Amino acid sequence: MRDSAIVIPVAALRRIFVMLIVLIALILAVLVVRTQLFRAGIGVLFAPSAAETIDHNAYQSVFLTNGSSYYGKLEPQGDSWFLLTDVFYLSVSDQNGTRLIKRGSEPWGPREPMVIPRDQILVIENMRDDSDVVAAIRLYKSGQAPALTPPPATATAAPAPTAIPSTTRPSPSPTR
């Protein structure tokens, strides 16, 4: 009966067991390092791409490196371009307050889509459905809000310096 038994040396079992423990420890170490890289904000190698993080059912706010911001539907185009459609932006003035403007009625007559180089984008955010901007876009699209046009482009020169009357003396600086 002993002649038909399979004998596995104890040393071989120990090696297999140690290799399994090392493999499990290595997998755990990779997961911990990956998590720490994400928390530190340097998980570029493991970070999801823009295409994976854009919610195609929502509007996006796109902030550019030149300080402009636009709102619309963003689609990545390969590795170096984005297309923004259904484009809006905010116009702020003392007289009219903040207004949502549908892009396309500017004097130069831009057409959609807006093509944006990836290196010009500073931040992309998926907007909530209950945000004020999305609510204003929906009002505009339902016909309940007028199509706002951008304020007229007027060339305003800096005001001419005014002379201080000789009877008025400037007050001293509070820092002196």
Side-chain angles (χ1 to χ4, degrees), residues 71 90 100 127-139:
Y71 310 95
L90 295 175
L100 185 71
M127 295 193 306
R128 294 186 331 261
D129 287 338
D130 65 345
S131 74
D132 291 342
V133 171
V134 172
I137 290 172
R138 287 203 174 114
L139 278 175

Side-chain angles (χ1 to χ4, degrees), residues 154-170:
T154 58
T156 57
T162 57
I164 300 173
S166 60
T167 57
T168 308
R169 300 180 74 179

Side-chain angles (χ1 to χ4, degrees), residues 50 62-67 77-82 115-124:
V62 181
F63 299 93
L64 303 181
T65 57
N66 68 0
Q77 300 294 304
D79 290 338
S80 46
W81 299 94
F82 282 91
V115 180
I116 306 171
R118 179 180 293 270
D119 63 350
Q120 295 301 306
I121 295 178
L122 189 60
V123 176
I124 298 169

Side-chain angles (χ1 to χ4, degrees), residues 51-116:
E52 295 169 341
T53 57
I54 293 173
D55 181 356
H56 299 288
N57 296 319
Y59 280 91
Q60 286 75 44
S61 55
V62 181
F63 299 93
L64 303 181
T65 57
N66 68 0
S68 301
S69 57
Y70 296 94
Y71 310 95
K73 299 282 188 162
L74 192 67
E75 286 289 331
Q77 300 294 304
D79 290 338
S80 46
W81 299 94
F82 282 91
L83 294 182
L84 188 65
T85 58
D86 202 12
V87 184
F88 293 84
Y89 61 92
L90 295 175
S91 173
V92 181
S93 71
D94 292 337
Q95 296 84 12
N96 300 321
T98 302
R99 301 179 345 162
L100 185 71
I101 308 291
K102 174 72 172 130
R103 187 173 174 272
S105 56
E106 295 80 5
W108 59 92
R111 293 185 339 188
E112 290 195 8
M114 178 184 247
V115 180
I116 306 171

